[in-house]
Amino acid sequence: MKLTRKLVLAKAKASDLESVKKLNCWGCNLTDISIFSQMPSIEVLTLSVNNISSLSPLAGCPSLSELYLRRNMIPTLSELCHLRPLTRLRVLWLAENPCCGTDPSRYRLTVLRCLPRLQKLDNQVVTEEEIALALMEGDEVSTPTGNIHNQLPNNGLPDAEMENDPLNYNMEETNKIREELGMKPLSRDKFSSLSSPSTMEKPTMKKTHILDAVLLLLRDLDEEELHVVHTATQNRLQTYTLDSGDAPISGF
């Protein structure tokens, strides 16, 4: 069943789609929710107990803060990529979907790695420790075809030249991290202006580029996001400390 403008307005008791901020469509046998691409003001959305398989229309709902999707037909966690641009999303209920799999712990870490701004997942509060662990151990959700790489211009450079271009490699690393945090990708021009000359001259070693990407990313993070990065960094440093503490002491 397709969710229509008439049904939305009737349920929300509204006169136009743009004014709808809350909507409850629990158990309506919905399969098509494309109408949400026309509802940028929606904040709280209940779509539990339906037959929804694609979340792509929700990418056009920047004000969405609570989303209830329990017991639908979401096939894979890659659908969560459509929710990454929703920087205000804090509550998500996704349980009892095919994408949840059979390993609850792995599922939760993967969702939180993809959507690290969540404060509650499946009616359970998300902790800072969980987010830090998810960023390190959660599975990376595959990006749907035609996303970041198709959005970034080549500036007229041939594909082979772009592939070997150190700036392009660095930019891809930065945008990969930005995407995981639900942030918009940087254009090549903006990235070039942010990059220092020393960054451009460094050898194309993967760890070097990842470090450059992280340092560039830090400039755009707010206080809450920086706190998450700080916690994850502390946990990572503790791991190295433990490893070095177990190593045999030499030189004495």
Coordinates of all heavy atoms in Angstrom, one line a residue, residues 44-129:
V44 N 8.8 13.5 14.3 CA 8.5 12.2 15.0 C 7.7 11.3 14.1 O 6.6 11.7 13.7 CB 7.8 12.4 16.4 CG1 7.6 11.0 17.0 CG2 8.6 13.3 17.3
L45 N 8.2 10.1 13.7 CA 7.5 9.3 12.7 C 7.4 7.9 13.2 O 8.4 7.2 13.5 CB 8.3 9.4 11.4 CG 7.8 8.6 10.2 CD1 6.4 9.0 9.9 CD2 8.7 8.8 9.0
T46 N 6.2 7.4 13.3 CA 6.0 6.0 13.7 C 5.5 5.2 12.4 O 4.4 5.4 11.9 CB 4.9 5.9 14.8 OG1 5.3 6.6 15.9 CG2 4.6 4.5 15.2
L47 N 6.3 4.2 12.0 CA 6.0 3.4 10.9 C 6.1 1.9 11.2 O 6.3 1.0 10.3 CB 7.0 3.7 9.7 CG 6.9 5.1 9.1 CD1 8.1 5.3 8.2 CD2 5.6 5.3 8.4
S48 N 6.0 1.6 12.5 CA 6.1 0.2 12.9 C 5.0 -0.7 12.4 O 3.9 -0.2 12.1 CB 6.1 0.1 14.5 OG 7.3 0.8 15.0
V49 N 5.3 -2.0 12.3 CA 4.3 -3.0 11.8 C 3.8 -2.7 10.4 O 2.5 -2.5 10.3 CB 3.2 -3.2 12.9 CG1 2.4 -4.5 12.6 CG2 3.7 -3.2 14.3
N50 N 4.6 -2.6 9.5 CA 4.3 -2.4 8.1 C 5.1 -3.3 7.2 O 5.7 -4.3 7.7 CB 4.5 -0.9 7.7 CG 3.4 0.0 8.2 OD1 2.2 0.0 7.7 ND2 3.7 0.8 9.2
N51 N 5.2 -3.0 5.9 CA 6.0 -3.9 5.0 C 7.0 -3.0 4.2 O 7.2 -3.2 3.0 CB 5.1 -4.6 4.0 CG 4.2 -5.7 4.7 OD1 4.7 -6.6 5.4 ND2 2.9 -5.5 4.7
I52 N 7.6 -2.1 4.9 CA 8.5 -1.1 4.3 C 9.9 -1.8 4.1 O 10.4 -2.4 5.0 CB 8.7 0.1 5.2 CG1 7.3 0.8 5.3 CG2 9.7 1.1 4.6 CD1 7.3 1.9 6.4
S53 N 10.5 -1.7 2.9 CA 11.8 -2.3 2.6 C 12.8 -1.3 2.3 O 14.0 -1.6 2.3 CB 11.6 -3.3 1.5 OG 11.2 -2.7 0.3
S54 N 12.5 0.0 1.9 CA 13.4 1.0 1.6 C 13.3 2.2 2.4 O 12.1 2.7 2.6 CB 13.3 1.4 0.1 OG 14.2 2.4 -0.3
L55 N 14.4 2.8 2.9 CA 14.4 4.0 3.7 C 14.8 5.2 2.9 O 14.9 6.3 3.5 CB 15.3 3.8 4.9 CG 14.9 2.6 5.8 CD1 15.9 2.6 7.0 CD2 13.5 2.7 6.3
S56 N 15.0 5.1 1.6 CA 15.6 6.2 0.8 C 14.7 7.5 0.9 O 15.3 8.6 0.9 CB 15.8 5.8 -0.6 OG 14.6 5.3 -1.2
P57 N 13.4 7.4 0.9 CA 12.6 8.7 1.0 C 12.8 9.5 2.3 O 12.6 10.7 2.3 CB 11.1 8.2 0.9 CG 11.2 6.9 0.3 CD 12.5 6.3 0.8
L58 N 13.3 8.8 3.3 CA 13.5 9.5 4.6 C 14.8 10.4 4.6 O 14.9 11.2 5.5 CB 13.6 8.5 5.7 CG 12.4 7.6 5.9 CD1 12.7 6.6 7.1 CD2 11.2 8.4 6.2
A59 N 15.6 10.2 3.6 CA 16.8 11.1 3.5 C 16.4 12.6 3.3 O 17.2 13.5 3.5 CB 17.7 10.6 2.3
G60 N 15.2 12.8 2.9 CA 14.7 14.2 2.7 C 14.0 14.7 3.9 O 13.2 15.7 3.7
C61 N 14.2 14.2 5.0 CA 13.5 14.6 6.3 C 14.6 15.1 7.3 O 14.8 14.5 8.3 CB 12.7 13.5 6.9 SG 11.5 12.8 5.7
P62 N 15.2 16.3 7.1 CA 16.3 16.7 7.9 C 15.9 17.0 9.4 O 16.8 17.1 10.2 CB 16.8 18.0 7.2 CG 15.6 18.5 6.5 CD 14.9 17.3 6.0
S63 N 14.6 17.2 9.6 CA 14.2 17.5 11.0 C 13.9 16.3 11.8 O 13.6 16.4 13.0 CB 13.0 18.5 11.0 OG 13.3 19.7 10.3
L64 N 13.9 15.1 11.2 CA 13.5 13.9 11.9 C 14.4 13.6 13.1 O 15.6 13.5 13.0 CB 13.6 12.7 10.9 CG 12.9 11.4 11.3 CD1 11.4 11.6 11.6 CD2 13.1 10.3 10.3
S65 N 13.8 13.5 14.3 CA 14.5 13.2 15.5 C 14.2 11.8 16.1 O 15.0 11.2 16.8 CB 14.3 14.3 16.5 OG 12.9 14.3 16.9
E66 N 13.0 11.3 15.8 CA 12.5 10.0 16.3 C 11.9 9.2 15.2 O 11.0 9.7 14.5 CB 11.5 10.2 17.5 CG 12.1 10.9 18.7 CD 11.1 10.9 19.8 OE1 10.2 10.1 19.9 OE2 11.2 11.8 20.7
L67 N 12.4 8.0 15.0 CA 11.9 7.1 14.0 C 11.7 5.7 14.5 O 12.6 5.1 15.0 CB 13.0 7.1 12.8 CG 12.7 6.2 11.6 CD1 11.4 6.6 10.9 CD2 13.8 6.2 10.6
Y68 N 10.4 5.2 14.3 CA 10.0 3.9 14.8 C 9.7 3.0 13.6 O 8.7 3.2 12.9 CB 8.8 4.1 15.7 CG 9.1 5.0 16.9 CD1 8.9 6.3 16.9 CD2 9.8 4.5 18.1 CE1 9.2 7.2 17.9 CE2 10.1 5.3 19.1 CZ 9.8 6.7 19.1 OH 10.1 7.5 20.1
L69 N 10.5 2.0 13.5 CA 10.4 1.1 12.3 C 10.3 -0.4 12.7 O 10.6 -1.3 11.8 CB 11.7 1.3 11.4 CG 11.8 2.6 10.6 CD1 13.2 2.8 10.1 CD2 10.8 2.6 9.4
R70 N 10.0 -0.7 13.9 CA 9.9 -2.1 14.3 C 8.9 -2.9 13.5 O 7.9 -2.4 13.0 CB 9.4 -2.1 15.8 CG 9.4 -3.4 16.5 CD 9.1 -3.3 18.0 NE 7.7 -2.8 18.1 CZ 6.6 -3.6 18.1 NH1 6.7 -4.9 18.0 NH2 5.4 -3.0 18.3
R71 N 9.3 -4.1 13.2 CA 8.5 -5.1 12.5 C 8.2 -4.6 11.1 O 7.0 -4.4 10.8 CB 7.3 -5.5 13.3 CG 7.6 -6.3 14.5 CD 6.3 -6.7 15.2 NE 5.4 -7.5 14.3 CZ 4.2 -7.9 14.7 NH1 3.7 -7.6 15.9 NH2 3.4 -8.6 13.9
N72 N 9.2 -4.4 10.3 CA 9.0 -4.1 8.9 C 9.8 -5.1 8.1 O 10.1 -6.2 8.5 CB 9.4 -2.6 8.5 CG 8.3 -1.6 8.7 OD1 7.5 -1.5 7.9 ND2 8.3 -1.0 9.9
M73 N 10.1 -4.7 6.8 CA 10.9 -5.7 6.0 C 12.2 -5.1 5.5 O 12.6 -5.3 4.3 CB 10.0 -6.1 4.8 CG 8.7 -6.8 5.1 SD 9.0 -8.3 6.0 CE 9.7 -9.3 4.7
I74 N 12.9 -4.3 6.3 CA 14.1 -3.7 6.0 C 15.1 -4.9 5.7 O 15.5 -5.6 6.7 CB 14.7 -2.8 7.1 CG1 13.6 -1.8 7.5 CG2 15.9 -2.1 6.6 CD1 13.0 -0.9 6.4
P75 N 15.6 -5.1 4.5 CA 16.4 -6.3 4.2 C 17.9 -6.3 4.7 O 18.3 -7.3 5.2 CB 16.4 -6.3 2.7 CG 16.3 -4.9 2.3 CD 15.4 -4.2 3.3
T76 N 18.5 -5.1 4.7 CA 19.9 -5.0 5.1 C 20.2 -3.7 5.8 O 19.5 -2.7 5.6 CB 20.9 -5.1 3.9 OG1 20.8 -4.0 3.1 CG2 20.6 -6.4 3.0
L77 N 21.3 -3.7 6.6 CA 21.6 -2.5 7.3 C 22.2 -1.4 6.4 O 22.4 -0.3 6.8 CB 22.7 -2.8 8.4 CG 22.1 -3.6 9.6 CD1 23.3 -3.9 10.5 CD2 21.0 -2.9 10.3
S78 N 22.4 -1.7 5.1 CA 22.9 -0.7 4.2 C 21.8 0.4 4.0 O 22.1 1.5 3.6 CB 23.2 -1.4 2.8 OG 22.1 -2.0 2.2
E79 N 20.6 0.0 4.3 CA 19.5 1.0 4.2 C 19.7 2.2 5.2 O 19.2 3.3 5.0 CB 18.1 0.4 4.4 CG 17.6 -0.5 3.3 CD 17.3 0.3 2.0 OE1 16.8 1.4 2.1 OE2 17.7 -0.2 0.9
L80 N 20.5 1.9 6.2 CA 20.7 3.0 7.2 C 21.5 4.1 6.6 O 21.6 5.2 7.2 CB 21.5 2.4 8.4 CG 20.7 1.4 9.2 CD1 21.6 0.9 10.4 CD2 19.4 2.0 9.8
C81 N 22.2 3.9 5.5 CA 23.0 5.0 4.8 C 22.1 6.1 4.5 O 22.5 7.3 4.4 CB 23.7 4.4 3.6 SG 25.0 3.3 3.9
H82 N 20.8 5.8 4.2 CA 19.9 6.9 3.9 C 19.6 7.8 5.1 O 19.0 8.9 5.0 CB 18.6 6.3 3.3 CG 18.7 5.5 2.1 ND1 19.2 6.1 0.9 CD2 18.5 4.2 1.8 CE1 19.3 5.1 0.0 NE2 18.9 4.0 0.5
L83 N 19.9 7.3 6.3 CA 19.6 8.1 7.5 C 20.8 8.9 8.0 O 20.7 9.7 8.9 CB 19.2 7.1 8.7 CG 18.0 6.2 8.4 CD1 17.6 5.4 9.6 CD2 16.7 7.0 7.9
R84 N 22.0 8.6 7.4 CA 23.2 9.3 7.8 C 23.1 10.9 7.7 O 23.6 11.6 8.6 CB 24.4 8.9 7.0 CG 24.9 7.5 7.5 CD 26.0 7.0 6.6 NE 26.7 5.9 7.1 CZ 27.5 5.1 6.4 NH1 27.6 5.3 5.1 NH2 28.1 4.1 7.0
P85 N 22.4 11.4 6.7 CA 22.3 12.9 6.6 C 21.4 13.5 7.7 O 21.4 14.7 7.8 CB 21.7 13.1 5.2 CG 22.0 11.9 4.4 CD 21.9 10.8 5.5
L86 N 20.7 12.7 8.4 CA 19.7 13.2 9.4 C 20.4 13.5 10.7 O 20.4 12.6 11.6 CB 18.6 12.2 9.6 CG 17.9 11.7 8.3 CD1 16.7 10.8 8.6 CD2 17.4 12.9 7.4
T87 N 21.0 14.6 10.8 CA 21.9 14.9 12.0 C 21.1 15.1 13.3 O 21.7 15.1 14.3 CB 22.7 16.2 11.7 OG1 21.8 17.3 11.4 CG2 23.6 16.0 10.5
R88 N 19.8 15.3 13.2 CA 19.0 15.4 14.4 C 18.4 14.1 14.9 O 17.7 14.1 16.0 CB 17.8 16.4 14.1 CG 18.3 17.8 13.8 CD 17.1 18.8 13.6 NE 17.6 20.1 13.2 CZ 16.8 21.1 12.9 NH1 15.5 21.0 13.1 NH2 17.3 22.3 12.5
L89 N 18.6 13.1 14.2 CA 18.0 11.8 14.6 C 18.7 11.3 15.9 O 19.9 11.0 15.9 CB 18.2 10.8 13.5 CG 17.5 9.4 13.7 CD1 16.0 9.5 13.8 CD2 17.9 8.4 12.6
R90 N 17.9 11.1 16.9 CA 18.4 10.6 18.2 C 17.7 9.3 18.7 O 18.3 8.6 19.5 CB 18.1 11.7 19.3 CG 18.9 13.0 19.0 CD 20.4 12.8 19.2 NE 21.2 14.0 19.0 CZ 21.7 14.4 17.8 NH1 21.5 13.7 16.7 NH2 22.4 15.5 17.8
V91 N 16.6 9.0 18.2 CA 15.9 7.8 18.6 C 15.5 6.9 17.4 O 14.9 7.4 16.5 CB 14.6 8.1 19.4 CG1 13.8 6.8 19.8 CG2 14.9 8.9 20.6
L92 N 15.9 5.7 17.4 CA 15.6 4.7 16.3 C 15.2 3.4 16.9 O 15.9 2.8 17.8 CB 16.8 4.5 15.4 CG 16.7 3.5 14.3 CD1 15.6 3.9 13.3 CD2 18.0 3.3 13.6
W93 N 14.0 2.9 16.4 CA 13.6 1.5 16.8 C 13.5 0.7 15.6 O 12.7 0.9 14.7 CB 12.2 1.6 17.5 CG 12.0 0.4 18.4 CD1 12.4 -0.9 18.1 CD2 11.2 0.3 19.6 NE1 11.9 -1.8 19.1 CE2 11.2 -1.1 20.0 CE3 10.4 1.2 20.3 CZ2 10.5 -1.5 21.1 CZ3 9.8 0.8 21.4 CH2 9.8 -0.6 21.8
L94 N 14.5 -0.2 15.4 CA 14.6 -1.0 14.2 C 14.4 -2.5 14.4 O 14.5 -3.3 13.5 CB 16.0 -0.7 13.6 CG 16.3 -1.2 12.2 CD1 15.4 -0.6 11.2 CD2 17.8 -0.9 11.9
A95 N 14.2 -2.9 15.7 CA 14.1 -4.3 16.0 C 13.1 -5.1 15.2 O 12.1 -4.5 14.7 CB 13.8 -4.5 17.5
E96 N 13.3 -6.4 15.1 CA 12.3 -7.3 14.4 C 12.2 -7.0 12.9 O 11.1 -7.1 12.3 CB 10.9 -7.2 15.1 CG 10.9 -7.6 16.5 CD 9.6 -7.5 17.2 OE1 8.7 -8.3 16.8 OE2 9.4 -6.7 18.0
N97 N 13.3 -6.6 12.3 CA 13.5 -6.5 10.9 C 14.5 -7.5 10.4 O 15.4 -7.9 11.1 CB 13.9 -5.1 10.5 CG 12.8 -4.1 10.3 OD1 12.2 -4.0 9.3 ND2 12.6 -3.4 11.4
P98 N 14.4 -8.0 9.1 CA 15.3 -9.0 8.6 C 16.8 -8.5 8.7 O 17.7 -9.3 8.9 CB 14.9 -9.1 7.1 CG 13.5 -8.8 7.1 CD 13.3 -7.7 8.2
C99 N 17.0 -7.2 8.7 CA 18.4 -6.7 8.7 C 19.0 -6.8 10.1 O 20.3 -6.7 10.2 CB 18.4 -5.2 8.4 SG 17.5 -4.1 9.5
C100 N 18.3 -7.2 11.1 CA 18.8 -7.3 12.5 C 19.7 -8.5 12.6 O 20.6 -8.6 13.5 CB 17.7 -7.3 13.5 SG 16.8 -5.8 13.5
G101 N 19.5 -9.6 11.8 CA 20.3 -10.8 11.8 C 20.1 -11.6 13.1 O 19.1 -11.4 13.8
T102 N 21.1 -12.4 13.4 CA 21.0 -13.3 14.5 C 22.0 -13.0 15.7 O 22.0 -13.7 16.7 CB 21.2 -14.8 14.1 OG1 22.5 -14.8 13.4 CG2 20.2 -15.2 13.1
D103 N 22.8 -12.0 15.5 CA 23.8 -11.6 16.5 C 23.4 -10.2 17.0 O 23.8 -9.2 16.4 CB 25.2 -11.6 15.9 CG 26.3 -11.3 16.9 OD1 26.0 -10.8 18.0 OD2 27.5 -11.6 16.6
P104 N 22.7 -10.1 18.1 CA 22.2 -8.8 18.6 C 23.4 -7.8 18.9 O 23.2 -6.6 18.6 CB 21.5 -9.2 19.9 CG 21.1 -10.6 19.8 CD 22.2 -11.2 19.0
S105 N 24.5 -8.3 19.5 CA 25.6 -7.5 19.8 C 26.2 -6.9 18.5 O 26.5 -5.6 18.5 CB 26.6 -8.2 20.6 OG 27.8 -7.4 20.9
R106 N 26.5 -7.7 17.5 CA 27.1 -7.2 16.3 C 26.1 -6.2 15.6 O 26.6 -5.2 15.0 CB 27.4 -8.4 15.4 CG 27.9 -8.1 14.0 CD 29.2 -7.3 14.1 NE 30.2 -7.9 14.9 CZ 31.4 -7.4 15.2 NH1 31.7 -6.2 14.8 NH2 32.3 -8.0 15.9
Y107 N 24.9 -6.5 15.6 CA 23.8 -5.7 15.0 C 23.9 -4.3 15.6 O 23.9 -3.2 15.0 CB 22.5 -6.3 15.1 CG 21.3 -5.3 15.2 CD1 20.8 -4.6 14.1 CD2 20.7 -5.1 16.4 CE1 19.8 -3.8 14.2 CE2 19.6 -4.2 16.5 CZ 19.2 -3.5 15.4 OH 18.1 -2.6 15.5
R108 N 23.9 -4.3 17.0 CA 23.8 -3.0 17.7 C 25.1 -2.1 17.4 O 25.0 -0.9 17.2 CB 23.7 -3.2 19.2 CG 23.4 -2.0 20.0 CD 23.0 -2.3 21.4 NE 22.8 -1.1 22.2 CZ 21.7 -0.4 22.3 NH1 20.6 -0.8 21.7 NH2 21.6 0.7 23.1
L109 N 26.3 -2.8 17.5 CA 27.5 -2.1 17.2 C 27.6 -1.5 15.8 O 28.0 -0.4 15.6 CB 28.7 -3.0 17.4 CG 29.0 -3.4 18.9 CD1 30.2 -4.3 19.0 CD2 29.3 -2.1 19.7
T110 N 27.0 -2.3 14.8 CA 27.0 -1.8 13.4 C 26.1 -0.6 13.2 O 26.5 0.3 12.5 CB 26.6 -3.0 12.5 OG1 27.6 -4.1 12.7 CG2 26.6 -2.6 11.1
V111 N 24.9 -0.7 13.8 CA 24.0 0.4 13.7 C 24.6 1.7 14.3 O 24.5 2.8 13.7 CB 22.6 0.1 14.4 CG1 21.7 1.3 14.4 CG2 21.9 -1.0 13.7
L112 N 25.2 1.6 15.5 CA 25.8 2.7 16.2 C 27.0 3.3 15.5 O 27.3 4.5 15.6 CB 26.1 2.4 17.6 CG 24.9 2.1 18.5 CD1 25.3 1.7 19.9 CD2 23.9 3.3 18.5
R113 N 27.8 2.4 14.8 CA 28.9 2.9 14.0 C 28.3 3.7 12.8 O 28.9 4.8 12.5 CB 29.7 1.8 13.4 CG 30.8 2.3 12.5 CD 31.8 1.2 12.1 NE 32.8 1.8 11.2 CZ 33.8 1.1 10.7 NH1 34.1 -0.1 11.1 NH2 34.6 1.7 9.8
C114 N 27.3 3.3 12.2 CA 26.7 4.0 11.1 C 26.0 5.3 11.5 O 26.1 6.3 10.9 CB 25.7 3.1 10.4 SG 24.9 3.8 8.9
L115 N 25.4 5.3 12.7 CA 24.6 6.4 13.2 C 25.0 6.8 14.7 O 24.3 6.5 15.6 CB 23.1 6.1 13.2 CG 22.5 5.7 11.9 CD1 21.1 5.2 12.0 CD2 22.5 6.8 10.9
P116 N 26.3 7.3 14.8 CA 26.8 7.5 16.2 C 26.1 8.6 17.0 O 26.5 8.8 18.2 CB 28.3 7.9 15.9 CG 28.3 8.4 14.5 CD 27.2 7.7 13.7
R117 N 25.2 9.4 16.4 CA 24.5 10.4 17.1 C 23.3 9.9 17.9 O 22.7 10.6 18.7 CB 24.0 11.5 16.2 CG 25.1 12.4 15.6 CD 24.5 13.5 14.8 NE 25.5 14.4 14.3 CZ 26.1 14.3 13.1 NH1 25.8 13.3 12.3 NH2 27.0 15.2 12.7
L118 N 22.9 8.6 17.7 CA 21.8 8.1 18.4 C 21.9 8.1 19.9 O 23.0 7.8 20.4 CB 21.5 6.6 17.9 CG 21.0 6.4 16.5 CD1 20.8 4.9 16.2 CD2 19.7 7.2 16.2
Q119 N 20.9 8.4 20.6 CA 20.8 8.4 22.0 C 20.0 7.2 22.6 O 20.2 6.8 23.7 CB 20.3 9.7 22.6 CG 21.1 10.9 22.2 CD 20.5 12.2 22.7 OE1 19.4 12.3 23.2 NE2 21.3 13.3 22.5
K120 N 19.2 6.6 21.7 CA 18.4 5.5 22.1 C 18.2 4.6 20.9 O 17.7 5.1 19.8 CB 17.0 5.9 22.7 CG 16.2 4.7 23.2 CD 14.9 5.1 23.8 CE 15.1 5.7 25.2 NZ 13.8 6.0 25.9
L121 N 18.5 3.3 21.0 CA 18.3 2.3 19.9 C 17.5 1.2 20.4 O 17.8 0.5 21.4 CB 19.7 1.8 19.4 CG 19.6 0.7 18.4 CD1 18.9 1.1 17.1 CD2 21.1 0.3 18.0
D122 N 16.4 0.9 19.7 CA 15.5 -0.2 20.1 C 15.1 -0.1 21.6 O 15.1 -1.1 22.4 CB 16.2 -1.6 19.9 CG 16.4 -1.8 18.4 OD1 15.7 -1.1 17.6 OD2 17.3 -2.6 18.0
N123 N 14.7 1.1 22.0 CA 14.2 1.4 23.3 C 15.2 1.1 24.4 O 14.9 1.0 25.6 CB 12.9 0.5 23.6 CG 12.0 1.1 24.7 OD1 11.9 2.4 24.8 ND2 11.4 0.3 25.5
Q124 N 16.5 1.2 24.1 CA 17.6 1.0 25.0 C 18.5 2.2 24.9 O 19.0 2.5 23.8 CB 18.3 -0.3 24.8 CG 19.4 -0.6 25.8 CD 20.1 -1.9 25.6 OE1 19.6 -2.7 24.8 NE2 21.3 -2.1 26.2
V125 N 18.9 2.8 26.0 CA 19.7 4.0 26.0 C 21.1 3.7 25.5 O 21.7 2.6 25.8 CB 19.8 4.6 27.4 CG1 20.8 5.8 27.4 CG2 18.5 5.1 27.8
V126 N 21.7 4.5 24.6 CA 23.0 4.3 24.1 C 24.0 5.1 25.0 O 23.8 6.2 25.3 CB 23.1 4.9 22.7 CG1 24.5 4.8 22.1 CG2 22.1 4.2 21.7
T127 N 25.1 4.4 25.4 CA 26.1 5.0 26.2 C 27.3 5.5 25.4 O 27.5 5.0 24.2 CB 26.6 4.0 27.3 OG1 27.3 2.9 26.6 CG2 25.5 3.4 28.1
E128 N 28.1 6.4 26.0 CA 29.3 6.9 25.3 C 30.3 5.7 25.0 O 30.9 5.7 24.0 CB 29.9 8.0 26.1 CG 29.1 9.2 26.2 CD 29.8 10.3 27.0 OE1 30.9 10.0 27.5 OE2 29.3 11.4 27.1
E129 N 30.3 4.8 26.0 CA 31.2 3.7 25.8 C 30.8 2.8 24.7 O 31.7 2.3 23.9 CB 31.2 2.8 27.1 CG 31.9 3.5 28.3 CD 31.1 4.6 29.0 OE1 29.8 4.6 28.7 OE2 31.6 5.4 29.7

